[in-house]
Amino acid sequence: MEERLAVIKGVTKRFGKTTALSAVDLELMPGRIIGLLGPNGSGKTTLIKLMNGLLQPDQGSIDIAGSAPGPETKALVSYLPDRMYIADWMRVKDLMHFFQDFYRDFDPDRARSMLDSLGIAEKARIKNMSKGTREKVQLVMVMSRRARLYLLDEPIGGVDPASRDFILRTILTNYSEEATVLISTHLISDVEKILDEVIFLKDGQVVRRDRVDDLRESEGKSVDALFREIFSVIPVKEVPHDEKAH
């Protein structure tokens, strides 16, 4: 039987009167890049924070490689939040030392290789970087860990198309077959080319889960097209009768 890297059972999370997640059941297997897809407010960030131990479920349970989210799973999970957390005063080398101190699985040689490919010097100061460069540096640190589970919350949300390509290549080439990458995003067309599976989250509930190849074969359309259909992101434009005649 295939090992289950993460098991989520009946997870519900509320914030006051708002239910962010409702009875979510999921299993994540190793060796996959999985898209957690949904519009803003669908519960993606809440689910990732629960899996990372930053929030606690009101109901249900989460198991990461045999343990509930906590100190033990911090050594297995590499987390990229949806906002910058790097202190402006830091240089890149300070950030690398920070990650080495906190995570035994951090590989500084891997980090240096990626930084070199970006032309980013270790002595460069964070406060002097553009937003896109900061996001790349943060991703390099996260992907330089030899983790079992990578939780990436909107990794391409605020960067230009060229930076998105670099970020996606970095994700694709820097995880092992024993690991799983869960990518939260609403920018489907950019990310779907690297995905093995997709999970559609709507109003805090899983409305569909499928392998990307199976989905394309059964639906005859791209993941992005199906996403727009399920979530009605863009209404279908009616063609005037006189144009239909041509």
Side-chain angles (χ1 to χ4, degrees), residues 13-217:
K13 180 64 182 176
R14 303 180 189 89
F15 298 99
K17 295 181 179 180
T18 301
T19 300
L21 292 172
S22 179
V24 170
D25 293 313
L26 284 173
E27 293 184 358
L28 305 184
M29 304 301 182
R32 316 274 168 83
I33 299 180
I34 303 170
L36 181 63
L37 312 181
N40 292 330
S42 59
K44 304 187 302 297
T45 293
T46 298
L47 181 58
I48 284 180
K49 285 184 175 180
L50 286 163
M51 294 176 71
N52 201 46
L54 296 174
L55 295 172
Q56 297 299 317
D58 294 314
Q59 292 172 267
S61 63
I62 298 175
D63 180 288
I64 309 291
S67 300
E72 288 182 19
T73 63
K74 297 290 185 188
L76 305 173
V77 177
S78 193
Y79 168 54
L80 181 74
D82 62 343
R83 60 193 64 194
M84 295 297 299
Y85 64 85
I86 303 172
D88 278 353
W89 62 264
M90 281 185 164
R91 297 181 186 273
V92 173
K93 64 180 179 182
D94 298 324
L95 190 59
M96 290 177 66
H97 291 151
F98 176 86
F99 267 74
Q100 277 185 282
D101 287 343
F102 271 82
Y103 304 110
R104 262 189 235 173
D105 62 359
F106 181 77
D107 184 341
D109 290 334
R110 180 190 280 189
R112 288 189 187 98
S113 175
M114 285 190 275
L115 290 168
D116 286 345
S117 72
L118 288 167
I120 298 173
E122 289 184 47
K123 63 182 179 181
R125 200 176 290 278
I126 301 300
K127 70 178 181 182
N128 296 330
M129 294 178 182
S130 67
K131 183 177 186 293
T133 301
R134 291 184 191 200
E135 299 219 356
K136 289 175 188 173
V137 169
Q138 190 165 277
L139 179 72
V140 164
M141 297 300 122
V142 168
M143 296 307 297
S144 292
R145 289 185 56 196
R146 298 188 179 277
R148 295 290 313 283
L149 179 61
Y150 297 88
L151 301 176
L152 312 180
D153 195 358
E154 296 286 357
I156 61 173
V159 296
D160 59 85
S163 295
R164 289 176 190 175
D165 286 342
F166 169 81
I167 288 169
L168 295 177
R169 284 198 309 274
T170 300
I171 293 167
L172 192 59
T173 56
N174 286 282
Y175 86 104
S176 70
E177 291 184 1
E178 292 78 40
T180 285
V181 180
L182 184 68
I183 304 174
S184 156
T185 187
H186 62 280
L187 299 172
I188 317 303
S189 61
D190 292 287
V191 79
E192 74 167 278
K193 59 190 173 187
I194 72 165
L195 299 179
D196 299 308
E197 297 180 19
V198 291
I199 298 165
F200 286 132
L201 202 60
K202 184 177 183 180
D203 299 328
Q205 295 183 306
V206 176
V207 294
R208 182 157 186 174
R209 166 124 189 228
D210 224 328
R211 289 178 178 270
V212 169
D213 289 343
D214 293 344
L215 186 150
R216 287 183 182 131
E217 186 175 333

Side-chain angles (χ1 to χ4, degrees), residues 37-39 42 200-202 207 226-233:
L37 312 181
S42 59
F200 286 132
L201 202 60
K202 184 177 183 180
V207 294
L226 184 63
F227 176 88
R228 292 172 187 274
E229 184 178 291
I230 289 176
F231 296 101
S232 301
V233 175

